[in-house]
Amino acid sequence: MEWTCQSFNFTFQFSRFYRCFITNKMATSSSAELSKAVKQQYMELPQGDKVQVMYVWIDGTGEGLRCKTRTLDSEPKSIEELPEWNFDGSSTYQSEGSNSDMHLIPSAMFRDPFRKDPNKLVLCEVLKYNRKPAETNLRLTCKKVMDMVENQVPWFGMEQEYTILGTDGHPFGWPNNGFPGPQGPYYCGVGADKAYGRDIVEAHYRACLYAGVMICGTNAEVMPAQWEFQVGPCEGISMGDHLWAARFILHRVCEDFGVVASFDPKPIPGNWNGAGCHTNFSTKEMREEGGLTAIEESIERLGKRHSYHIRAYDPKGGLDNARRLTGHHETSNIHEFSAGVANRGASIRIPRTVGQEKKGYFEDRRPSANCDPYAVTEAMIRTCLLSEEGDEPVDY
């Protein structure tokens, strides 16, 4: 009788554990369940003198990334050694099927952290059949504007927030039915009940370092399953190149883990923080003694052109940011411009140390997590350094 009771108790406890495990099982992709050990034995095979080059580009959504690989006979040492390529734009929201060839123009090259040396990742611009830039190729005009102010040495640093989701769109680690505890313990948190998905963060960080991406830090964010990585300081056009490369690597790392990286500015409605891409900016003048004057002049120009920047700061012309910039959850109101020292509820934040030292940089907190960094940095240069005014950019 005693043995029977103990057996029943064990069965009950195991059954309860099993039901709990099944209920809370994360929705991951089927490819994540494939044997990585089996794959590795093939990845260790020598590849001779051949090199795999993965071409990466932004698709017609302005947010999605696409990629494909070709073999070269030797390791490219510079962008100039990489051939142009093409792809079917009708399958990437970039052309009609009757005239679908699009051109890939290599623009920035990185080491490939997935296939490893000597293989490469190459970020490309996209041109249409007539050699004009595709609508989502914002790099071309950004490069032109950056070249105009090269002597002012503009530096950028962008703080990319993102949310880890299961393949069903549910935040990683959240209860299937309900919510985790309220915000408070998660920001820069440590421990299994505070940090959700650190393995992904660590893998991404190391992959970026290997690739040569200018990643400079990472931390857990205010909402559980939300994280941030920082890229910079980068000069001019390299800011957009390095942030897009970091995003691609993050998507690729998440693919291996079977989860999804979301850059949605407000992935969970309600009393939860949204996701932004705060952009830090300075020039040589701002970084030198008395640079605070130049910082204040730039902020004044930004205040007069608020609506232009709101349109440039997310791929839907401000509609995505409207869900995030409510004036709550460490954001400014999308309809108002504000600036302040150490104020995370302002459009523009001047760090306290900058206010004390009278030089340095400022932070524009308005860009959304899914912004195009080329559009953001170009807009800042146009307003702050080229002194443009009005709601439309000048055609140079």
Side-chain angles (χ1 to χ4, degrees), residues 293-311:
T293 299
I295 291 173
E296 291 172 341
E297 289 172 353
S298 287
I299 293 173
E300 185 177 355
R301 294 188 187 107
L302 289 168
K304 295 176 181 178
R305 218 178 185 204
H306 180 61
S307 60
Y308 164 72
H309 283 265
I310 288 297
R311 290 202 309 276

Side-chain angles (χ1 to χ4, degrees), residues 87-238:
F87 67 95
D88 170 18
S90 67
S91 299
T92 61
Y93 316 114
Q94 289 173 295
S95 71
E96 297 293 332
S98 58
N99 192 7
S100 65
D101 279 1
M102 309 285 284
H103 301 283
L104 290 172
I105 313 300
S107 301
M109 183 168 64
F110 301 87
R111 298 167 72 194
D112 188 336
F114 307 103
R115 293 165 172 157
K116 301 181 182 177
D117 290 337
N119 305 299
K120 305 296 182 185
L121 299 178
V122 177
L123 190 66
C124 300
E125 286 189 24
V126 177
L127 302 182
K128 295 188 280 192
Y129 70 95
N130 56 7
R131 308 293 293 186
K132 292 184 177 180
E135 283 72 16
T136 53
N137 177 5
L138 305 186
R139 188 183 189 275
L140 203 63
T141 57
C142 182
K143 178 70 163 60
K144 185 177 181 179
V145 167
M146 291 297 174
D147 288 344
M148 293 172 66
V149 298
E150 185 178 9
N151 64 327
Q152 298 189 55
V153 197
W155 287 1
F156 298 93
M158 299 187 79
E159 305 170 19
Q160 177 69 71
E161 295 177 338
Y162 64 96
T163 309
I164 302 174
L165 306 177
T167 53
D168 59 356
H170 196 67
F172 183 86
W174 285 35
N176 285 354
N177 299 303
F179 298 91
Q183 296 181 158
Y186 309 107
Y187 173 70
C188 295
V190 61
D193 58 340
K194 299 178 183 68
Y196 299 3
R198 193 184 296 274
D199 285 351
I200 294 164
V201 175
E202 295 294 342
H204 172 250
Y205 202 151
R206 188 61 59 89
C208 283
L209 290 174
Y210 180 93
V213 170
M214 292 288 289
I215 188 169
C216 59
T218 189
N219 60 268
E221 264 305 328
V222 177
M223 188 181 84
Q226 195 172 81
W227 293 81
E228 173 184 298
F229 63 88
Q230 302 94 33
V231 174
C234 295
E235 185 175 338
I237 194 66
S238 65

